Amino acid sequence: MQDYVVFDLETTEKDPAECEILELAAVRVRNRVIVDQFERLVRPSRPISPYATAVHGYRDADVCDEPV
């Protein structure tokens, strides 16, 4: 497989039933070379848990001015 897109999500919690997305990222690969990248922070409606901050480093203040 030489052409593909990889997605990554960062969330407010570790429990999928309780979490919300706070970052969406993607990388497009063609012929095994990264040709495009996308990253977007979003403001969740719930606070980011201390556990999630320890994993990805984002705090509520990092996303307070981002779109919902």
Side-chain angles (χ1 to χ4, degrees), residues 14-58:
K14 67 179 180 177
D15 181 356
E18 299 292 322
C19 72
E20 289 185 27
I21 295 170
L22 64 94
E23 181 189 32
L24 172 63
V27 175
R28 179 180 291 164
V29 178
R30 287 199 179 130
N31 296 320
R32 299 182 181 173
V33 175
I34 295 173
V35 296
D36 201 6
Q37 298 181 45
F38 172 84
E39 178 185 4
R40 181 65 178 177
L41 292 173
V42 296
R43 182 172 27 113
S45 64
R46 64 180 59 215
I48 300 169
S49 74
Y51 170 83
T53 295
V55 171
H56 52 59
Y58 291 117

